[in-house]
Amino acid sequence: MKNLIEKNRKLIFYAILAGTFVCVLIYNILTPYISDDYAYLSELRTNATSFGDVIKLAYAELFEHGGRFLHYVTFRAFLYFGNKQIFNVYCSLMFVAFGLSIYANIEKRKKYDIYVIMLIFLLVWLFEISFGQTVLWITGAAVYLFATTYILFSLALYKKLLNTSQISHPILVCVPMFVIALFAGNSSENNSGAAILLVIIYTINAYLDFREKNARKLGFTSFIKPYMIAAWIGYIAGYLLLTLAPGAHSRANSVSEGDYQGTVGILSHIYKLSMSLRDNLWIFLVAVIILIVTLAIMGSYKSFRDIRKSNAILFVFATVASTYALMFIPLPVKRVFFGACAFLIIASIQLLLELKQNETAVKIVKYSAVSLLCLMFFFTYLENLVNLARITREENERIEIIKEAADSGADYVEVPMFREAFRNEYSAAHDSDMTEDPGYWINTFYEDWFGVDNIVGVPRDIWNEKYE
């Protein structure tokens, strides 16, 4: 069996990627427009007659909401062209790219490492934060899935270039490095900031190694390369656009932390972030601590040099930085931990690979864990595949009711709310369901898009009694 797998390692690796693509594509197909998608669809229908208008609308949001300009353009572009099937395919490809970006940041793996790539996709699918809001929802995917992929890819590319002794065309490398760094820097206040810190640490580590190799005879100017400058400019430009946009400040100022101000307010914010970190990432925090303690006892961290060059510890540091950077923005929703979770997935797998792989006990634990995760994935995927199909059926039913009311000129229509039994982590539908108040934010999005003045959500049990 082992020989068979080794002989077909490359084929199995690509089969895993293809299977992952198909799995997430099916979920994407079963995810309709939801939440803010309708607000942006209405905005584009009213204000955009060309793609230039799409860019103008994204620019205007810099003054209203935040600084993620490149991502505002991305999701508006998909909504503007109006074919969700294109998004479904692109999003599924980006999900595979996300997994490969995590893979690229893990050291000491084999070529076409089947174990690592399977573990990545299983952990992401089963434990990544708010999957329905960060991966499958158009607006959310652009801001979280796509953005985190850019960040992780930029880190892997920068580190690979640092470890490459000779680059054939150093100037040509600068352009893609700048572009990906620009996207990464403009992704999110906390994750982009953590990525910039990692780039600084990578650079310092590489410089110290360079100095040791050259007996400290050469200075920083001999070490620096054009692609480094391109990356730094890209990261800084993207991050400045992100943090200095007027919308970022107005949004921050519009949120208060109750009656707490000054030092007490900061401490309150730290407390809430710490509890959010615990609630959202507890399983990875436990795994990382156990593995770090185990490796420390085994003698893996004998000096400060071992610690500063440990890929796993650096990504744990990035998780901490990403979390507490949120002190300086409004208290976040759960999905902002999407990037931090990705950092901890990298750290966890990296620590696993640093264990002595030739010990039988380690092999039993590793492969038993992957087998159990595969079993969990099978049941989770099947259960929520059905739930997504049910939600899509109910959403299509509601849309038909609304369209009939709009065609008849009615200014009031009642529609059934989603059944609570169908709520799951792979759909954001229930978190943005309509209510009995026609002035509720999501109700107004549907009203603007479908042209009905008052749309009221009715609990399904009451709807069945009233209309069936």
Side-chain angles (χ1 to χ4, degrees), residues 61-129:
E61 193 157 1
L62 295 176
F63 297 87
E64 300 168 2
H65 187 69
R68 297 168 177 168
F69 174 73
L70 299 173
H71 307 292
Y72 296 153
V73 173
T74 300
F75 67 72
R76 279 185 172 86
F78 282 110
L79 293 170
Y80 173 74
F81 290 112
N83 188 335
K84 190 173 182 297
Q85 301 312 315
I86 296 175
F87 170 82
N88 293 339
V89 173
Y90 183 82
C91 182
S92 302
L93 288 172
M94 285 297 292
F95 184 77
V96 174
F98 175 62
L100 288 173
S101 296
I102 292 176
Y103 180 86
N105 278 282
I106 296 172
E107 300 173 348
K108 300 180 181 180
R109 50 181 167 75
K110 299 177 183 177
K111 188 175 184 180
Y112 300 112
D113 199 315
I114 297 170
Y115 171 78
V116 170
I117 198 67
M118 280 190 66
L119 190 55
I120 287 169
F121 283 120
L122 288 169
L123 290 176
V124 168
W125 199 284
L126 295 170
F127 301 110
E128 188 49 281
I129 303 298

Side-chain angles (χ1 to χ4, degrees), residues 213-227:
K213 184 178 179 181
N214 293 280
R216 304 185 182 276
K217 294 178 181 179
L218 300 176
F220 189 72
T221 53
S222 300
F223 163 75
I224 197 168
K225 299 292 187 296
Y227 72 83

Side-chain angles (χ1 to χ4, degrees), residues 415-433:
V415 297
M417 296 167 65
F418 294 121
R419 286 180 173 88
E420 192 62 27
F422 301 159
R423 180 186 289 272
N424 67 90
E425 191 73 9
Y426 299 88
S427 173
H430 287 79
D431 295 322
S432 56
D433 197 6

Side-chain angles (χ1 to χ4, degrees), residues 100-169:
L100 288 173
S101 296
I102 292 176
Y103 180 86
N105 278 282
I106 296 172
E107 300 173 348
K108 300 180 181 180
R109 50 181 167 75
K110 299 177 183 177
K111 188 175 184 180
Y112 300 112
D113 199 315
I114 297 170
Y115 171 78
V116 170
I117 198 67
M118 280 190 66
L119 190 55
I120 287 169
F121 283 120
L122 288 169
L123 290 176
V124 168
W125 199 284
L126 295 170
F127 301 110
E128 188 49 281
I129 303 298
S130 301
F131 200 100
Q133 296 182 19
T134 55
V135 175
L136 303 173
W137 169 34
I138 291 183
T139 309
V143 174
Y144 295 100
L145 174 64
F146 300 178
T148 309
T149 302
Y150 301 142
I151 288 173
L152 295 177
F153 180 72
S154 73
L155 290 172
L157 177 60
Y158 187 82
K159 195 168 188 180
K160 182 176 179 60
L161 292 172
L162 281 176
N163 294 327
T164 303
S165 56
Q166 286 189 336
I167 300 173
S168 302
H169 304 285

Side-chain angles (χ1 to χ4, degrees), residues 366-383:
K366 281 176 55 180
Y367 295 110
S368 296
V370 168
S371 299
L372 289 172
L373 288 173
C374 285
L375 187 63
M376 285 178 62
F377 170 76
F378 172 77
F379 289 116
T380 300
Y381 187 86
L382 188 61
E383 178 185 16

